[in-house]
Amino acid sequence: LLRPAVVGLIASAALLLMTEENFGSPAEAPLQFWVSVALFVAAFVAMKFFKVSPILILLLAGIFGGVFYGVV
């Protein structure tokens, strides 16, 4: 009974974070947009199919984002 509520709350938070500031705009900043989408897909596949720890995913995504957006 608690699991659907948790999934709903996480989905709600994800939808609220899917803004132009976080993902970029495909028209204005296509590189930022597609890198963000690729990072999302990689994290999803790693967690869903390879059972990688969510904490490790967060750390790796943070490091990759910091390196990529710090250099570009």
Side-chain angles (χ1 to χ4, degrees):
L1 187 63
L2 188 60
R3 186 173 284 185
V6 171
V7 170
L9 288 171
I10 292 172
S12 173
L15 289 174
L16 287 174
L17 289 174
M18 292 180 71
T19 62
E20 192 171 315
E21 291 85 20
N22 290 329
F23 274 85
S25 169
E28 293 177 16
L31 180 63
Q32 178 186 359
F33 177 77
W34 290 112
V35 167
S36 298
V37 170
L39 192 57
F40 167 76
V41 170
F44 178 79
V45 168
M47 286 177 43
K48 180 73 175 170
F49 299 110
F50 298 108
K51 306 297 184 208
V52 177
S53 167
I55 295 171
L56 181 60
I57 295 291
L58 285 171
L59 288 173
L60 291 175
I63 290 169
F64 178 79
V67 167
F68 182 78
Y69 293 119
V71 172
V72 171

